[in-house]
Amino acid sequence: FIGALLLKLPNATYDGISFLDALFTSTSAVCVTGLIVVDTATYFTQIGQTIILILIQIGGLGILTFASYFAYFFKGGSSYENQLTIGEMTNAKKIGEVFSTLKRILLLTFVVELIGAVFIYLSMQNSLMGLTDKIYFSIFHSISSFCNAGFSIFSEGLYDVSIRYNYAFQLAIIFLFVMGGLGFPIMVNILSFLRYFVRNKVLFFLRGVSNYKPWVLNLNSRITLVTTISLTLIGTLLFFFAEYNNTLAEHGLFGKMVNALFGASTPRTAGFNTIDMTQLRFSTIMLIFLLMWIGASPESTGGGIKTSTFALATLNFIALARGKNRIEIYRREISEVSIQRAFAVISLSLVVIGGGIILISIFDSDKDLLSIAFECFSAYSTVGLSIGITAKLSAASKLVLAAIMFIGRVSMLTLLIAVFKKIKHKNYRYPKEEITIN
């Protein structure tokens, strides 16, 4: 709401903006989605674009991260209950580590964004932009990429003819949104593993001994990394072969490979496009639907049902097919509450997306079902990809999409937990009965 008021300022736009469009843009920025109803490049001044960038950064890091960290910074402390909440969010093992973990998250974010901005700047050496514009362009796209926001200050996004064939630039963008989509706890855990691995190799080389720790990379990181790599490789191959003679036809072999990787990675909530989305084959659009729905990893800058949720659902039906009543992987058993949460998230996501499709089809009955469904999946998973109907929607449909973006970013399960009254645990259990499923 504050972002919408800031975007309504006279110097934020060239010709003014309606409150509804300002609210939609602000929601899209804070929820790091990237769906737009007005052209970011031509509608907003540099001040307006900077406001959007700040909203993206706040939304990417998480409102709770900012609020908790600065409350601690200014007041010199925080309540025990608040520390427990943030501890769960940041995966901190000890209460005393909570705010040091938050500091590491902020430091890691800014370091990765700075490295990304440098890579983007170096990839734009042949650009006709001036020095100041090039620096601003690099910073804007680095933050937007790492936060998986999908906002660009080019009217055609990354499909703009000046960067469409700049593969070094595309690889830099891929690096940023993949890092942001992994999630902060995963990145910290990977860094810990790499530090241990390098130190171990150095010790073995110098002294012939090693400090073996079998569980540096935790179960959450392993599942997330395996799922992310698998989805990326399978998605890239399918995208490459499906679009080889279609949207990828104008590129050489290396360009086709980079764009296929980009096309398979960006639906996992990044929202950028380097190809013409309106020319995609139907089979590719169906692939994008699946990738958008799965989304990024937990505690990341991305949305969707999350890779861990998808992995648990997959592991569950494999376990059932093998006749097992529990999920076991990497010599660990997955807790029942994790499985319950995973299926609750899946069910609620389909309810929200389905409800959005029904409402928009009522408010904009002239739009085709595929386009409406694409918008709703993109909004819920905070992706930002579109096949061209966002700006043409009615006011009611824009409000529906804004609500879906908010729910997708916050999580419907979180909203329900906040609304429903907690039931105290009773010291009894009813007899168990099985329900017919198949």
mmCIF file of all heavy atoms in Angstrom, residues 341-357:
data_model
loop_
_atom_site.group_PDB
_atom_site.id
_atom_site.type_symbol
_atom_site.label_atom_id
_atom_site.label_comp_id
_atom_site.label_asym_id
_atom_site.label_seq_id
_atom_site.Cartn_x
_atom_site.Cartn_y
_atom_site.Cartn_z
ATOM 1 N N ARG A 341 2.317 -31.115 5.682
ATOM 2 C CA ARG A 341 2.446 -29.735 5.187
ATOM 3 C C ARG A 341 2.593 -29.699 3.678
ATOM 4 O O ARG A 341 2.024 -28.834 3.011
ATOM 5 C CB ARG A 341 3.661 -29.066 5.843
ATOM 6 C CG ARG A 341 3.446 -28.664 7.285
ATOM 7 C CD ARG A 341 4.713 -28.069 7.878
ATOM 8 N NE ARG A 341 4.536 -27.662 9.257
ATOM 9 C CZ ARG A 341 5.522 -27.248 10.043
ATOM 10 N NH1 ARG A 341 6.760 -27.202 9.581
ATOM 11 N NH2 ARG A 341 5.277 -26.886 11.287
ATOM 12 N N ALA A 342 3.364 -30.636 3.138
ATOM 13 C CA ALA A 342 3.587 -30.673 1.688
ATOM 14 C C ALA A 342 2.271 -30.849 0.942
ATOM 15 O O ALA A 342 1.982 -30.112 -0.016
ATOM 16 C CB ALA A 342 4.555 -31.806 1.337
ATOM 17 N N PHE A 343 1.444 -31.804 1.378
ATOM 18 C CA PHE A 343 0.187 -32.048 0.686
ATOM 19 C C PHE A 343 -0.837 -30.945 0.950
ATOM 20 O O PHE A 343 -1.698 -30.675 0.110
ATOM 21 C CB PHE A 343 -0.360 -33.422 1.054
ATOM 22 C CG PHE A 343 0.318 -34.524 0.299
ATOM 23 C CD1 PHE A 343 1.384 -35.213 0.856
ATOM 24 C CD2 PHE A 343 -0.062 -34.844 -0.992
ATOM 25 C CE1 PHE A 343 2.046 -36.214 0.151
ATOM 26 C CE2 PHE A 343 0.584 -35.846 -1.702
ATOM 27 C CZ PHE A 343 1.640 -36.533 -1.135
ATOM 28 N N ALA A 344 -0.740 -30.299 2.110
ATOM 29 C CA ALA A 344 -1.606 -29.148 2.383
ATOM 30 C C ALA A 344 -1.268 -28.000 1.437
ATOM 31 O O ALA A 344 -2.162 -27.345 0.880
ATOM 32 C CB ALA A 344 -1.439 -28.704 3.837
ATOM 33 N N VAL A 345 0.028 -27.753 1.230
ATOM 34 C CA VAL A 345 0.480 -26.692 0.313
ATOM 35 C C VAL A 345 0.023 -26.983 -1.112
ATOM 36 O O VAL A 345 -0.462 -26.088 -1.824
ATOM 37 C CB VAL A 345 2.023 -26.551 0.380
ATOM 38 C CG1 VAL A 345 2.536 -25.689 -0.773
ATOM 39 C CG2 VAL A 345 2.445 -25.947 1.712
ATOM 40 N N ILE A 346 0.162 -28.232 -1.557
ATOM 41 C CA ILE A 346 -0.258 -28.619 -2.902
ATOM 42 C C ILE A 346 -1.763 -28.405 -3.089
ATOM 43 O O ILE A 346 -2.210 -27.788 -4.075
ATOM 44 C CB ILE A 346 0.109 -30.094 -3.191
ATOM 45 C CG1 ILE A 346 1.624 -30.243 -3.330
ATOM 46 C CG2 ILE A 346 -0.588 -30.597 -4.457
ATOM 47 C CD1 ILE A 346 2.102 -31.678 -3.411
ATOM 48 N N SER A 347 -2.565 -28.883 -2.131
ATOM 49 C CA SER A 347 -4.021 -28.754 -2.220
ATOM 50 C C SER A 347 -4.451 -27.289 -2.224
ATOM 51 O O SER A 347 -5.271 -26.870 -3.052
ATOM 52 C CB SER A 347 -4.692 -29.484 -1.053
ATOM 53 O OG SER A 347 -4.360 -30.842 -1.059
ATOM 54 N N LEU A 348 -3.888 -26.494 -1.314
ATOM 55 C CA LEU A 348 -4.258 -25.080 -1.218
ATOM 56 C C LEU A 348 -3.851 -24.304 -2.459
ATOM 57 O O LEU A 348 -4.564 -23.390 -2.895
ATOM 58 C CB LEU A 348 -3.632 -24.461 0.033
ATOM 59 C CG LEU A 348 -4.220 -24.926 1.375
ATOM 60 C CD1 LEU A 348 -3.368 -24.440 2.538
ATOM 61 C CD2 LEU A 348 -5.661 -24.437 1.529
ATOM 62 N N SER A 349 -2.703 -24.650 -3.042
ATOM 63 C CA SER A 349 -2.259 -23.957 -4.263
ATOM 64 C C SER A 349 -3.249 -24.165 -5.397
ATOM 65 O O SER A 349 -3.589 -23.231 -6.131
ATOM 66 C CB SER A 349 -0.868 -24.439 -4.688
ATOM 67 O OG SER A 349 -0.919 -25.748 -5.223
ATOM 68 N N LEU A 350 -3.743 -25.394 -5.545
ATOM 69 C CA LEU A 350 -4.711 -25.698 -6.595
ATOM 70 C C LEU A 350 -6.048 -25.005 -6.340
ATOM 71 O O LEU A 350 -6.721 -24.562 -7.282
ATOM 72 C CB LEU A 350 -4.907 -27.210 -6.710
ATOM 73 C CG LEU A 350 -3.661 -28.005 -7.144
ATOM 74 C CD1 LEU A 350 -3.953 -29.494 -7.116
ATOM 75 C CD2 LEU A 350 -3.195 -27.577 -8.539
ATOM 76 N N VAL A 351 -6.439 -24.885 -5.060
ATOM 77 C CA VAL A 351 -7.677 -24.183 -4.711
ATOM 78 C C VAL A 351 -7.575 -22.704 -5.076
ATOM 79 O O VAL A 351 -8.485 -22.137 -5.690
ATOM 80 C CB VAL A 351 -7.984 -24.339 -3.204
ATOM 81 C CG1 VAL A 351 -9.107 -23.395 -2.774
ATOM 82 C CG2 VAL A 351 -8.369 -25.771 -2.884
ATOM 83 N N VAL A 352 -6.447 -22.065 -4.710
ATOM 84 C CA VAL A 352 -6.252 -20.636 -4.984
ATOM 85 C C VAL A 352 -6.178 -20.377 -6.492
ATOM 86 O O VAL A 352 -6.843 -19.464 -7.015
ATOM 87 C CB VAL A 352 -4.977 -20.109 -4.290
ATOM 88 C CG1 VAL A 352 -4.679 -18.676 -4.711
ATOM 89 C CG2 VAL A 352 -5.126 -20.190 -2.779
ATOM 90 N N ILE A 353 -5.374 -21.167 -7.197
ATOM 91 C CA ILE A 353 -5.233 -20.985 -8.644
ATOM 92 C C ILE A 353 -6.560 -21.256 -9.356
ATOM 93 O O ILE A 353 -6.983 -20.478 -10.224
ATOM 94 C CB ILE A 353 -4.126 -21.906 -9.197
ATOM 95 C CG1 ILE A 353 -2.756 -21.481 -8.661
ATOM 96 C CG2 ILE A 353 -4.115 -21.871 -10.728
ATOM 97 C CD1 ILE A 353 -1.644 -22.483 -8.933
ATOM 98 N N GLY A 354 -7.233 -22.335 -8.969
ATOM 99 C CA GLY A 354 -8.525 -22.664 -9.571
ATOM 100 C C GLY A 354 -9.563 -21.590 -9.321
ATOM 101 O O GLY A 354 -10.320 -21.207 -10.226
ATOM 102 N N GLY A 355 -9.603 -21.075 -8.088
ATOM 103 C CA GLY A 355 -10.527 -19.984 -7.761
ATOM 104 C C GLY A 355 -10.243 -18.742 -8.579
ATOM 105 O O GLY A 355 -11.175 -18.068 -9.060
ATOM 106 N N GLY A 356 -8.953 -18.421 -8.758
ATOM 107 C CA GLY A 356 -8.571 -17.263 -9.562
ATOM 108 C C GLY A 356 -8.992 -17.409 -11.013
ATOM 109 O O GLY A 356 -9.486 -16.457 -11.632
ATOM 110 N N ILE A 357 -8.804 -18.603 -11.565
ATOM 111 C CA ILE A 357 -9.192 -18.858 -12.961
ATOM 112 C C ILE A 357 -10.697 -18.676 -13.138
ATOM 113 O O ILE A 357 -11.154 -18.048 -14.107
ATOM 114 C CB ILE A 357 -8.772 -20.281 -13.388
ATOM 115 C CG1 ILE A 357 -7.236 -20.383 -13.456
ATOM 116 C CG2 ILE A 357 -9.373 -20.647 -14.748
ATOM 117 C CD1 ILE A 357 -6.724 -21.794 -13.648
#
